[in-house]
């Protein structure tokens, strides 16, 4: 149904019926807003948990520490070797 059709149909209803429809629509909107907020909070909780779980990998002795620490050795011997490795960046 289009908005125009809905508004035309509302004219054929009593004031009480229109009020009931408004209340139902309002409840549906509140539920949708609440569900969206819950999904957002859950997504944020999961991201935080994933980030906290990854911290140990970046700490000394962790699997990724050498890749990111300031005192780590370069992985490639030269810029040319790096360019020839075919690494694609997001830049």
């Amino acid at each position: 149904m289009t908005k125009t059709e809905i508004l035309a149909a509302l004219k054929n209803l009593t004031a009480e019926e229109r009020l009931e429809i408004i209340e139902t629509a309002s409840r549906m909107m509140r539920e949708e807003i609440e569900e969206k907020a819950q999904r957002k909070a859950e997504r944020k909780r999961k991201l935080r948990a994933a980030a906290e779980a990854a911290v140990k990998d970046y700490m000394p002795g962790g699997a990724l520490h050498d890749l990111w620490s300031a005192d780590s050795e370069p992985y490639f011997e030269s810029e040319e070797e790096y360019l020839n490795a075919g690494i694609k960046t997001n830049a």
Side-chain angles (χ1 to χ4, degrees):
M1 250 183 148
T2 66
K3 185 169 42 171
T4 304
E5 291 170 332
I6 292 169
L7 293 173
L10 286 173
K11 290 179 183 179
N12 297 323
L13 300 175
T14 65
E16 292 80 15
E17 290 171 326
R18 282 182 270 177
L19 184 58
E20 184 181 339
I21 289 171
I22 291 169
E23 289 170 345
T24 302
S26 295
R27 180 183 43 78
M28 290 169 62
M29 291 171 58
R30 282 191 304 274
E31 289 171 357
E32 287 177 17
I33 291 168
E34 179 61 29
E35 288 171 5
K36 183 178 179 181
Q38 288 175 356
R39 285 192 305 271
K40 184 176 180 180
E42 180 64 14
R43 184 173 57 246
K44 186 175 181 178
R45 186 193 65 74
K46 286 180 179 180
L47 286 171
R48 177 180 289 282
E52 289 173 353
V55 167
K56 65 179 183 248
D57 290 334
Y58 294 93
M59 300 301 290
L64 300 173
H65 178 262
D66 288 342
L67 294 174
W68 300 105
S69 67
D71 58 345
S72 66
E73 296 289 326
Y75 184 78
F76 294 103
E77 294 293 325
S78 68
E79 176 94 13
E80 183 179 351
E81 183 183 355
Y82 170 76
L83 294 172
N84 291 333
I87 295 175
K88 304 251 190 273
T89 64
N90 290 335

